[in-house]
């Protein structure tokens, strides 16, 4: 088997993961969520890649960067095609698809609704009955919050709501310590410049 792993800077991926977590019923605040991720060493890419290399060997594990997909999508796809041994290089559409971005304010409202409705993020061990109850609560939340969502999206389009979740300085330092050494090893392994990568550890 060939294993393709796409990574993204821990700085920027956390906010996206947090939105998915809240959408699925999570109730932790952003700062508590960040702390939990770091405590559990989630997003420790180097450790993950090493484990795959042990099982499938280095030549069968390819690592790509989400940032390259944004900056040079054609080259990104071409690298994948060549690696899996396909000569055909597709022509990518000129118009790029963009996910709709929720405002931080709406995500906070969603989290409050989760707390009030008693939801929780989906777990692997959840029973069928519990999953049905949880899905009903999330559907109810979506219906109740639809007017807020539409209103805040309009404000966002008009440029009134542009704020992002910000990681506390103390947690930024912990991210540097937790992920920095592994990120550096990863970039060295791939023969890439780490200093200007924008990944934790590259600033020091």
């Amino acid at each position: 088997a060939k294993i393709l792993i796409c990574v993204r800077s821990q700085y920027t991926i956390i906010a996206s993961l947090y939105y998915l977590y809240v959408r699925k019923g999570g109730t932790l605040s952003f700062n508590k969520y960040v702390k939990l991720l770091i405590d559990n060493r989630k997003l420790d890419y180097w450790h993950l890649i090493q484990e795959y290399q042990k099982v499938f060997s280095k030549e069968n594990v390819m690592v790509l960067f989400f940032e390259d997909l944004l900056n040079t999508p054609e080259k990104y796809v071409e690298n994948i095609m060549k690696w899996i041994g396909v000569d055909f290089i597709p022509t990518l559409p000129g118009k790029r698809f963009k996910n709709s971005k929720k405002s931080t304010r709406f995500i906070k409202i969603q989290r409050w609704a989760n707390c009030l409705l008693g939801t929780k993020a989906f777990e692997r061990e959840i029973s069928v009955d519990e999953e049905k109850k949880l899905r009903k609560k999330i559907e109810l939340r979506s219906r109740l919050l639809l007017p807020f969502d539409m209103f805040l999206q309009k404000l966002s389009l008009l440029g009134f709501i542009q704020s992002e979740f910000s990681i506390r300085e103390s947690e930024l330092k912990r991210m540097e310590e937790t992920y920095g050494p592994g990120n550096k090893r990863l970039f060295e392994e791939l023969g890439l410049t780490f200093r200007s990568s924008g990944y934790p550890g590259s600033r020091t």
Side-chain angles (χ1 to χ4, degrees), residues 110-174:
Q110 254 188 337
R111 185 179 78 83
W112 294 335
N114 290 344
C115 294
L116 289 171
L117 291 171
T119 66
K120 62 179 181 178
F122 283 90
E123 299 170 351
R124 290 180 184 177
E125 296 80 16
I126 192 170
S127 69
V128 175
D129 287 339
E130 284 181 315
E131 183 179 344
K132 285 180 180 177
K133 289 176 184 177
L134 182 53
R135 289 193 183 280
K136 283 183 179 179
K137 287 181 179 179
I138 290 174
E139 286 172 9
L140 174 61
R141 181 204 65 195
S142 298
R143 289 198 298 271
L144 291 173
L145 296 186
L146 182 60
F148 291 99
D149 188 17
M150 294 173 66
F151 175 69
L152 290 172
Q153 278 193 44
K154 286 183 179 179
L155 288 181
S156 184
L157 289 171
L158 293 171
F160 290 108
I161 300 176
Q162 299 295 338
S163 63
E164 298 284 346
F165 284 108
S166 57
I167 302 170
R168 288 176 178 168
E169 192 63 36
S170 59
E171 299 304 329
L172 286 173
K173 286 186 69 176
R174 290 187 64 217

Side-chain angles (χ1 to χ4, degrees), residues 73-75 77-78 81 87-96:
E74 289 80 10
K75 186 69 177 174
V77 173
E78 183 180 341
M81 293 298 202
D87 294 328
F88 170 70
I89 306 297
T91 302
L92 299 183
K95 189 176 181 181
R96 301 278 184 250

Side-chain angles (χ1 to χ4, degrees), residues 5 7 44-54 61-63 186 189-190:
I5 300 174
V7 301
D44 186 353
Y45 303 138
W46 178 240
H47 175 74
L48 172 72
I49 290 162
Q50 281 184 305
E51 291 301 312
Y52 274 104
Q53 287 178 344
K54 284 178 190 175
V61 178
M62 184 182 195
V63 181
L186 171 59
E189 174 89 6
L190 298 173

Side-chain angles (χ1 to χ4, degrees), residues 17-29:
L17 291 177
Y18 181 66
Y19 166 58
L20 290 174
Y21 163 78
V22 172
R23 193 175 73 176
K24 291 178 180 179
T27 57
L28 288 178
S29 68

